[in-house]
Amino acid sequence: GYNMYDCSFEFRRLWVEGKLDEIQDLGIPSRTNPFPITMTPLFACDDAGISAATTYSAYEMDGILMYNKDSLYTMGLSPMVLLWKDIHTSKLFTRTLG
């Protein structure tokens, strides 16, 4: 296999998208495939992009996943990825005090 650790976010995303496209009917719900797999939409991290992400309605939202696209891939937890949940982006938003 090819080492993807040193590749840019855009390349890794394009590669995964191509691999998913190779599998016929993966994104189509059916009796044998009740949970279709599709790529998440990609939005810019600016006012317009975040506004578009919070109003995207193709599926039920459970937060916004934000990547620092200039960072290299690392396995496990990374400070370069953030899952944002608030009352506008998730029904499961919980507020922690402290």
Side-chain angles (χ1 to χ4, degrees):
Y2 183 74
N3 184 353
M4 304 290 266
Y5 294 108
D6 296 331
C7 297
S8 68
F9 169 78
E10 287 90 355
F11 176 80
R12 293 191 312 266
R13 182 174 170 87
L14 185 65
W15 184 85
V16 168
E17 196 170 320
K19 290 297 178 184
L20 290 177
D21 286 344
E22 291 175 5
I23 304 171
Q24 188 176 13
D25 298 333
L26 186 64
I28 301 171
S30 67
R31 184 181 57 77
T32 58
N33 185 23
F35 303 105
I37 297 174
T38 59
M39 292 292 291
T40 56
L42 188 61
F43 300 97
C45 193
D46 56 18
D47 289 343
I50 292 175
S51 178
T54 58
T55 57
Y56 185 77
S57 63
Y59 55 86
E60 186 175 344
M61 185 183 301
D62 187 28
I64 297 176
L65 192 56
M66 297 183 197
Y67 284 89
N68 180 340
K69 67 180 182 177
D70 294 328
S71 66
L72 298 176
Y73 177 79
T74 57
M75 292 192 292
L77 297 175
S78 170
M80 301 300 182
V81 178
L82 170 71
L83 176 58
W84 176 264
K85 290 187 178 192
D86 65 10
I87 58 173
H88 305 290
T89 61
S90 177
K91 290 191 318 186
L92 304 174
F93 171 68
T94 15
R95 182 173 179 196
T96 55
L97 301 174

